[in-house]
Amino acid sequence: MNPAGVNPVRRTALAVGLVLALLILVFATRETSRDRMTTHLVGAVAPAVVGATLDGSPWDLDDQRGRWVIVNFFSTTCVPCIREHPELVAFAAAHAQADDVRLVTVAFDDSPSAVVAFFAEHGGEWPVLTVDTGRIAVDWGVVGVPESYLVTPSGHVAAKVIGGVEMEELDDLLARAVAAVS
Amino acid sequence: MRIGDRSLRLTWLLVVVVVVGSLVGSELAERPPLTNADRVHDLAGDFACPVCQGQSLGESDVPIARTIRTTIRTMVDRGRTDAEIRSMLVARFGENIDYTPRGDGLVGLVWVLPVLVGGTAMAGVVLSIRRWQGRSTGGSAPGRPVVLGIVAVVVVLAGVLVARSAGERLAGDTLSGDIRSSTRTLLADAGVASPDEAISLYSRVLEIQPSNVEALAYRGWSRWRAGDEAHGRSDLDEAVAVDPTYPDVRVFRASQRHADGDHAGAAEDLVALDGLMAPPIVGDLLEASRLRQRIATGLAASGDLLVALELLDSGLGARPDAADLLAERGWLLVATRSPELVGRGLVNLDEALALDPLDPYGLAYRAVVLATVADRPGDAAVDLARFAGLTGQPADLVDLLVVVGLLEPQPEDGP
């Protein structure tokens, strides 16, 4: 016991404890890597999506300015992609008449023939890019498929979905994004 | 004791100076990467694969890691700095993948905390020693030989550290520096070198310019032909990823895939090639090797007749007067034995011979069809006679005609 009546060991332990508690608080309330993954690119200008579709026609995301676009990254060998595909087909069909949103699929690490066969079997009439898509995936920071992005008519990313999507989820995302910008 | 205290302090000061100096010196003297390939290797090793557990981009072979490595190669070759590449990767995939994060903000704690902990531990040790000295009899300082011994050990360790970081020499380096050839010279040398030497020269090009598609393509082709199939395939895939519009690699990979039994993949490469502005020599090479026809035959044999016809049609789109492709198209249709398709096949064979009346494949195929399917032996005999008049008849056609009984087997040459 020192003259001030405080044990120096206790004082040090208290200080260390306080610092540790502060650090835990800071790290616990920090944005997690999962949060960063789901918000990555959101609000930013959408990176380029340029290439040729399965029938050889050129396709450029910039040409879609003025429209809402869903950019979907997929692979024919990924099970969640196969599961989400009917939902995308239904979503595309539901919006075909109104033409208020368009869909583009970027096939990652896949062969054009496999993609052609996949769409022939599972349906889907929207543009699909298959060649040199690795650069597109890196530009978008895609770490795994499926990943989907909602792009605003001004060319900004409004939302990002990691994993398979459902039609209702996409409709909800679109409705909220439309409400937010109008 | 006064002199002894001063000496002790000087000794400790010397220890601190040597330790800190060697750490700072080794950091400053760290040798920069010698080649662009080293830079790519270092950068790929400094980032985690975004989807793997405990593997760096350099170690992982998942598609996204391979794609990011290709991007790093391309950026390095385009003269982008390490800082720009690091910043691109962090912007795309988040700072979590960075094994060497920046020193500011909360991330800075990664650097600061170990130093703080180490410093605190050292202070604790010093404090304990002093207390222990105070309690010991006489309170004398450690003996000079012990301190000098500690200093000597630290100095030796520091020297080893500095030597390891600054004194590395590569085999073949000279005192006056390394003399390097340009990538163009190396590629030209590789073109006339033996296969093993060529592979070595292409590797040297790739050390300087990791995304050099020509070196990747030709090294892959050379490796694959030399029997190093896994590395050959990897190089060819990498070359296509770096530049999908480089015609040579499409031909190489089509050939490799065809030999590996991946006829559909081979067809994709040739169809991609047809959409490129390939130099005439590539077309000549394809024509001479009959690679497209062999792939089409492989596809048809595995039940993909439609893809086989698309492959031939793609070639005809690029070369509309190609009698050999029309002849192959006709032959594949006839081989179905479907009456309607046989008729169409015969039309293709007629068209092929109208373009080139002496095309050996057109003549032989039509002779077989006329004799065995269309029951027109007289017309078949005319084609056969023309075929017999050709010099350098393809051996596979001679074998075919022998098998169907239109030619007598050739007598074996005597000893």
Side-chain angles (χ1 to χ4, degrees), chain A residues 77-156:
Chain A
T77 54
C78 123
V79 173
C81 304
I82 297 167
R83 285 204 189 118
E84 80 167 357
H85 196 77
E87 301 286 332
L88 291 173
V89 171
F91 178 80
H95 291 268
Q97 196 162 4
D99 196 21
D100 55 343
V101 59
R102 291 194 174 174
L103 205 57
V104 61
T105 285
V106 180
F108 176 63
D109 194 46
D110 219 328
S111 74
S113 61
V115 176
V116 169
F118 182 91
F119 273 77
E121 184 182 346
H122 297 92
E125 300 289 328
W126 57 87
V128 184
L129 311 186
T130 58
V131 178
D132 200 17
T133 51
R135 289 174 198 180
I136 301 175
V138 170
D139 284 347
W140 284 73
V142 172
V143 294
V145 285
E147 277 187 17
S148 299
Y149 297 79
L150 176 62
V151 179
T152 68
S154 64
H156 290 75

Side-chain angles (χ1 to χ4, degrees), chain A residues 13-33:
Chain A
L14 191 65
V16 170
L18 276 173
V19 170
L20 280 176
L22 193 65
L23 280 175
I24 290 169
L25 185 71
V26 168
F27 281 110
T29 54
R30 219 177 158 221
E31 188 185 35
T32 65
S33 59

Side-chain angles (χ1 to χ4, degrees), chain B residues 291-301 304 308 311-312 328 332:
Chain B
L291 177 61
R292 188 184 301 270
Q293 290 91 322
R294 286 190 281 123
I295 294 170
T297 304
L299 283 166
D304 288 329
L311 173 63
L312 294 173
E328 198 67 30
L332 292 184

